[in-house]
Amino acid sequence: MEIIQWTIRFIVEGGIFMYVILAVWAFALAVALERFKKLSYTYDVDGPSFMNELQRYILSNDIQGAIRVCSGSQAALPRVLKSGLKRANQGTEQVQNAIDATALEVIPKIEQRLSYLQLAANLSTLFGLLGTIQGLIQSFSAVSAADPTQKAEVLAKGIAVAMNTTALGLLAAITIMMIHAFLMSKSEKIVNEIDEFAVKLQDLLGTKKAIDD
């Protein structure tokens, strides 16, 4: 209970900008939660294992089986590779064009809204500083009208209150930046796997076609 009371007092004493920072923080956490769900459970897949499974179908000359495996997943990598498999009987250039076209469609969805987190972190810091400046202005205004014996006390209290917004702004920015870095690493992992295994699929299909011919 003491922690809750201290938190409420901390926020109330910080002024209006405390609520702005909390709103930005809540927005960032909502975006982060949505992105985490998408990147972890919708778009991600175990790339090496998935590619090994496709390779078995392709080497067994069962392209349709490989396509069915891709169709059974909503992840980004299977979707990209599926477009290449659909043109397995065509030339290497057609396979690459299909893969590139699908990758251009999928990759922006992977990276979607991640830039909002970086913006939220910057806004949290700036609103914290703005709140501090406002608090200092109010403190010096109060000091000018205060009794001389109370000036030091009024100024100290005002500065302490002004620091609340800086503390909350920095706390929000730090947490958002850490979450952003984590989600960016997951996003880059998915994109890198698309690049890697798309090239491997093209090489596999090209080699198989050369052997068949």
Side-chain angles (χ1 to χ4, degrees), residues 80 99-109:
V80 172
I99 288 174
D100 290 345
T102 307
L104 288 173
E105 180 184 347
V106 169
I107 290 176
K109 293 181 179 180

Side-chain angles (χ1 to χ4, degrees), residues 74-160:
Q74 296 181 346
L77 178 62
R79 184 175 175 184
V80 172
L81 298 186
K82 178 183 176 181
S83 64
L85 289 169
K86 285 183 174 180
R87 299 197 181 182
N89 296 326
Q90 301 179 22
T92 304
E93 185 175 350
Q94 284 74 21
V95 173
Q96 182 176 351
N97 288 340
I99 288 174
D100 290 345
T102 307
L104 288 173
E105 180 184 347
V106 169
I107 290 176
K109 293 181 179 180
I110 297 172
E111 299 172 344
Q112 192 175 24
R113 287 188 285 276
L114 288 177
S115 60
Y116 291 176
L117 297 179
Q118 194 169 11
L119 175 62
N122 291 333
L123 286 176
S124 297
T125 304
L126 293 176
F127 277 123
L129 293 175
L130 189 59
T132 299
I133 292 172
Q134 182 196 40
L136 292 175
I137 292 174
Q138 292 175 349
S139 297
F140 287 116
S141 297
V143 165
S144 64
D147 185 271
T149 59
Q150 297 179 335
K151 283 187 176 182
E153 182 181 351
V154 171
L155 182 61
K157 183 178 179 180
I159 292 175

Side-chain angles (χ1 to χ4, degrees), residues 158-196:
I159 292 175
V161 170
M163 292 297 106
N164 288 8
T165 53
T166 298
L168 185 63
L170 290 176
L171 179 61
I174 290 169
T175 56
I176 294 170
M177 288 173 66
M178 291 174 64
I179 293 171
H180 177 258
F182 171 75
L183 293 176
M184 279 298 297
S185 68
K186 292 188 72 66
S187 172
E188 289 172 1
K189 178 254 186 187
I190 296 172
V191 173
N192 289 338
E193 284 189 346
I194 289 175
D195 293 337
E196 176 186 352

Side-chain angles (χ1 to χ4, degrees), residues 5 15 30 36 38 41 125 141 156 183:
Q5 291 175 355
F36 176 78
K38 289 286 187 182
Y41 300 106
T125 304
S141 297
L183 293 176

Side-chain angles (χ1 to χ4, degrees), residues 2-14 19:
E2 290 183 4
I3 294 177
I4 296 176
Q5 291 175 355
W6 178 87
T7 302
I8 294 173
R9 186 171 64 253
F10 175 79
I11 294 172
V12 171
E13 288 178 351
Y19 300 100

